[in-house]
Amino acid sequence: MKIAIIGYGKMGHIVEQIALRRGHEIVCIIDLDVQQGKLSDADAAIEFSTPATAEKNVRMCWAEGVPVVCGTTGWNAAALLEEDKRTHNMPMLVWKSNFSVGVNLFFELNKKLAEMMVQHPQYTPSIEEIHHIHKLDKPSGTAKTLAEGIRDVKTDRFENLKIESIREGEVPGTHTVTWDSPEDTIVITHIAKGREGFALGAVIAAEEIVGI
């Protein structure tokens, strides 16, 4: 598969390494105002940039007929996903708040626990997320998805769910969901050990959107 990388920071470099290891070719790299190669040569683009530039980058890919996997959070991806459904014959955008396989398992565990808690009103949920000091959006997209998974249970008890955001050092990402009661506390946590899991998930998503 021929891949374009949009956003060539730490994530972009790791995406490149993983894509090459999986036998793919990098035909275009775009970062800020610098471009190497032609976007139109790509079978798919993988985008990790900033909230301010993500929509522009997605539309740039669409203009070239290139489907895009976007891992940038902190912008209104939902509106563009809906536009994609209305205007394209096949999906041209894959967006997730987190592409890590482990995090997506964590999402499912979070939803299941929330469903169980409907029958146990003594427990109150809260979320804490910790990331490196360079992360621009707060709370993280992953924390928002966790919160949505709890609120989707549709009970008034979960509407005022609190999210605490901490920015320190070079932490790749730690997310903790806590269910507290007068008697005890239940805690589930996902700890990312690096950015490789996010990048691998994005490359796999690109493979799926292209049909490899």
Side-chain angles (χ1 to χ4, degrees):
M1 175 174 56
K2 296 179 179 179
I3 296 175
I5 296 175
I6 303 177
Y8 200 49
K10 291 180 179 179
M11 278 299 300
H13 280 80
I14 297 172
V15 166
E16 179 181 35
Q17 294 167 12
I18 290 175
L20 292 174
R21 286 204 301 264
R22 293 176 70 86
H24 304 307
E25 179 184 358
I26 308 301
V27 297
C28 180
I29 294 175
I30 300 173
D31 188 53
L32 300 176
D33 295 325
V34 178
Q35 178 170 336
Q36 302 174 24
K38 293 174 60 179
L39 177 58
S40 59
D41 288 340
D43 298 312
I46 299 178
E47 202 270 2
F48 282 94
S49 62
T50 67
T53 58
E55 180 175 349
K56 179 192 72 173
N57 290 337
V58 171
R59 292 190 181 280
M60 176 176 64
C61 292
W62 287 359
E64 296 291 346
V66 177
V68 55
V69 171
C70 178
T72 303
T73 59
W75 62 290
N76 188 13
L80 216 56
L81 286 166
E82 184 59 34
E83 181 179 336
D84 185 26
K85 290 179 182 178
R86 295 195 311 266
T87 59
H88 296 123
N89 294 326
M90 58 183 293
M92 291 290 287
L93 173 62
V94 175
W95 177 90
K96 287 186 178 182
S97 60
N98 194 312
F99 280 96
S100 162
V101 173
V103 165
N104 281 276
L105 291 171
F106 190 60
F107 287 157
E108 294 304 313
L109 176 62
N110 174 63
K111 290 178 183 178
K112 181 63 177 179
L113 185 53
E115 291 169 359
M116 295 169 65
M117 284 299 180
V118 172
Q119 305 301 321
H120 302 280
Q122 69 271 33
Y123 288 94
T124 300
S126 63
I127 296 172
E128 178 189 84
E129 57 98 353
I130 308 172
H131 279 89
H132 51 84
I133 58 175
H134 315 290
K135 187 167 180 62
L136 298 178
D137 53 321
K138 185 189 293 187
S140 70
T142 301
K144 290 179 179 178
T145 300
L146 289 167
E148 290 168 4
I150 295 172
R151 294 190 183 109
D152 282 348
V153 176
K154 303 299 183 186
T155 174
D156 293 341
R157 285 173 46 224
F158 302 158
E159 287 303 313
N160 296 319
L161 177 64
K162 294 181 180 178
I163 302 176
E164 181 180 5
S165 298
I166 300 171
R167 298 290 175 265
E168 61 183 31
E170 296 296 330
V171 179
T174 299
H175 292 84
T176 299
V177 180
T178 300
W179 292 86
D180 192 45
S181 80
E183 295 79 26
D184 57 14
T185 302
I186 298 173
V187 179
I188 58 173
T189 299
H190 179 275
I191 302 171
K193 296 181 179 179
R195 294 180 171 88
E196 287 77 9
F198 312 135
L200 174 60
V203 174
I204 290 173
E207 293 169 351
E208 290 176 349
I209 199 173
V210 171
I212 293 177

